[in-house]
Amino acid sequence: MTALDADRSTITQAYLYGFPLVFNLDQVTRYTTTGVGANPAARFNTFSHARTLAGPADTFVTINNDTLYSMAQVDLSVGPVELQVPDTAGRYYVLQFVDAWTNNFAYVGHRATGTGAGTFLLVPPSWTGDAGDTVVIRFPTTIASIVGRWAVSGDHELPEVHALQDATTLTPRDPDAVPAGLAVPDPDVPGSALFLEKLRVWSQQFPPAQRDRPLQDSLASTGIAVRGASPYASMPLSDAARLVGDMDAAKETLHTILTHGSSPEENGWKLTFHAFDYNLDYFEVGALDDDRFKMTDPELRIAERAAAALGGLWGNHPYEAAYIMTYVDDRGDQLTGARTYTLRLDPEPPVSAFWSLTMYSVPEFYLVENPIARYSIGDRTAGLVRDAEGALTITISHARPEDATAAANWLPAPAGDFRPVMRMYEPDPAVLDRRYTVPAINRVEG
């Protein structure tokens, strides 16, 4: 059997189905081997703490500039692991739990469990032991990520947050157990088939939710169901060459879904409130088993899950943080650093935590170098100037504005195309039911 027993449409379907798993576990590998930007590498079952806010060196899609990240890649092949969190005295933080297929299945932190000190026992899928009085968090897959975020208003708060990070620990109950880690793809597989090889070995190592198994079985003609030796390692060169075109077509399909997806639009903003609502099966502490946050259309769910991974891997459910983004101005034209824009917020977004607007390059979705090292702007940004009505007008441009107020409220843009993202942490219900709306980004003439 070779991958080309499947036609192009089946390859595309396999790509959309498997992209979240493969892309996610590639990032898990980065965090455990080389680190990402301000987050140094850390072995499984330990935290990697960023000590500075993210910047352009952090080449991770749609990374935020609002919080310090504490990342942990957890491998419960060692058995249960104890998580301890400190008392943050009301400071916003969240530990988001993301399984191998990118399902957000648990939350610990300000909204979910409060800000007092706590202990949680992380257990593998089939664990049946006794946790005593400790809150148990059962993982859907033996490897999953903890994505920790700590609110930081400025450099003066860094020492306090560093202490909180250091007090957040993971301790395996069996200190001598060695994590199994990720299965290794066959090194002899040609590059054009590497995605399918990763999907093959990792989908077998981390079985999907029961509801997704018929879909995975239907993709067997791609070779991903083959156990043991890789079916791609001995592919004829002609088959490997054909796969290049098949995979390019699949990537283009995913890009189209990302930029023209099902999320509603308002004033040019894609309201991706429900982009991460594809988890229908796993609800541990802090994850709401609520029909309002479930994407039930099976075909849409698979497509949107892939787009969410590409455009904002490890994004939160909307009740934790609501995201909206835009590519266009008030005329429907692509946003570009060749023009100047304004965004007037009156009132500012209603939230229980905080809000921010962050600038990203297109198509990479990375933070953008600029002369004032400002990558986001929000309600905690020092020195912003409101008008007599209390409204905040943000100026967005590549060149620094000459007007003093515009310069104070400046969000620098790249020279080329860009995509800003608005984050609203612990949003008011008015945000999610669309009683509060963000206006269009207006092009400035001249």
Side-chain angles (χ1 to χ4, degrees):
M1 175 183 291
T2 74
L4 296 193
D5 288 333
D7 59 20
R8 176 166 290 188
S9 66
T10 305
I11 295 292
T12 296
Q13 188 176 25
Y15 186 79
L16 296 179
Y17 169 73
F19 183 83
L21 178 72
V22 172
F23 189 57
N24 177 43
L25 294 182
D26 278 342
Q27 305 312 310
V28 169
T29 300
R30 289 181 70 193
Y31 272 99
T32 55
T33 56
T34 62
V36 177
N39 277 90
R43 65 186 186 278
F44 282 110
N45 300 328
T46 60
F47 274 101
S48 164
H49 299 299
R51 303 305 197 180
T52 58
L53 293 172
D58 298 271
T59 52
F60 191 89
V61 293
T62 319
I63 197 168
N64 85 50
N65 181 243
D66 307 314
T67 65
L68 290 190
Y69 279 94
S70 290
M71 308 296 302
Q73 308 308 328
V74 181
D75 185 349
L76 296 183
S77 63
V78 302
V81 173
E82 187 175 275
L83 165 69
Q84 291 190 320
V85 296
D87 185 345
T88 71
R91 179 183 296 276
Y92 177 86
Y93 84 102
V94 61
L95 300 182
Q96 170 198 3
F97 291 72
V98 189
D99 77 2
W101 290 88
T102 70
N103 294 302
N104 296 329
F105 65 92
Y107 292 92
V108 169
H110 185 274
R111 174 197 60 83
T113 58
T115 60
T119 302
F120 304 85
L121 189 66
L122 317 182
V123 304
S126 58
W127 185 79
T128 57
D130 181 13
D133 295 332
T134 305
V135 175
V136 169
I137 300 177
R138 186 176 300 276
F139 280 36
T141 52
T142 53
I143 285 181
S145 303
I146 299 178
V147 184
R149 302 172 176 91
W150 307 85
V152 179
S153 295
D155 288 348
H156 64 286
E157 293 186 352
L158 289 177
E160 179 182 344
V161 175
H162 292 168
L164 294 173
Q165 290 178 308
D166 292 340
T168 305
T169 60
L170 292 166
T171 307
R173 280 195 166 178
D174 180 354
D176 298 322
V178 177
L182 292 172
V184 178
D186 190 317
D188 294 327
V189 168
S192 61
L194 184 56
F195 174 90
L196 292 174
E197 171 67 0
K198 289 178 177 179
L199 176 56
R200 184 184 75 89
V201 297
W202 290 339
S203 65
Q204 293 174 24
Q205 184 179 12
F206 307 109
Q210 189 65 43
R211 74 177 64 247
D212 290 335
R213 294 183 187 182
L215 173 56
Q216 183 165 305
D217 291 345
S218 75
L219 301 171
S221 63
T222 64
I224 65 171
V226 174
R227 295 186 177 273
S230 173
Y232 313 111
S234 57
M235 291 179 65
L237 290 177
S238 59
D239 286 356
R242 179 184 155 188
L243 259 183
V244 172
D246 290 345
M247 297 305 294
D248 284 347
K251 292 173 185 177
E252 183 60 31
T253 297
L254 177 53
H255 178 75
T256 299
I257 294 170
L258 175 63
T259 55
H260 300 86
S262 66
S263 296
E265 292 190 18
E266 195 156 31
N267 299 326
W269 293 92
K270 289 184 175 295
L271 308 184
T272 56
F273 298 150
H274 300 289
F276 300 95
D277 287 358
Y278 41 78
N279 172 28
L280 305 180
D281 300 281
Y282 309 111
F283 301 97
E284 299 294 307
V285 61
L288 301 186
D289 187 358
D290 186 324
D291 288 345
R292 293 177 299 168
F293 307 109
K294 292 181 180 180
M295 191 182 297
T296 55
D297 181 303
E299 291 187 10
L300 177 65
R301 175 176 157 267
I302 295 301
E304 291 293 309
R305 184 178 69 174
L310 177 60
L313 185 67
W314 299 341
N316 285 289
H317 277 102
Y319 48 77
E320 186 68 43
Y323 307 99
I324 65 174
M325 60 195 66
T326 185
Y327 295 84
V328 299
D329 61 20
D330 57 324
R331 305 181 190 186
D333 295 330
Q334 170 66 50
L335 296 167
T336 171
R339 300 189 178 106
T340 296
Y341 308 91
T342 60
L343 173 63
R344 187 172 190 268
L345 299 175
D346 182 24
E348 296 175 33
V351 293
S352 295
F354 56 94
W355 68 266
S356 69
L357 183 70
T358 308
M359 177 62 64
Y360 298 98
S361 62
V362 171
E364 301 86 2
F365 309 128
Y366 295 159
L367 299 176
V368 178
E369 289 279 8
N370 65 79
I372 62 171
R374 176 182 282 176
Y375 312 112
S376 65
I377 196 167
D379 57 359
R380 301 172 304 150
T381 303
L384 297 182
V385 179
R386 273 81 176 178
D387 63 24
E389 288 77 36
L392 175 65
T393 299
I394 299 169
T395 295
I396 303 171
S397 61
H398 180 59
R400 182 188 181 95
E402 296 181 1
D403 176 79
T405 296
N409 298 349
W410 179 38
L411 179 60
D417 294 349
F418 61 86
R419 180 199 70 172
V421 173
M422 174 78 77
R423 289 178 172 85
M424 294 165 275
Y425 292 84
E426 295 187 23
D428 187 89
V431 172
L432 298 185
D433 64 24
R434 298 170 62 177
R435 285 177 287 126
Y436 174 83
T437 61
V438 177
I441 292 179
N442 290 311
R443 187 193 309 180
V444 177
E445 296 293 347

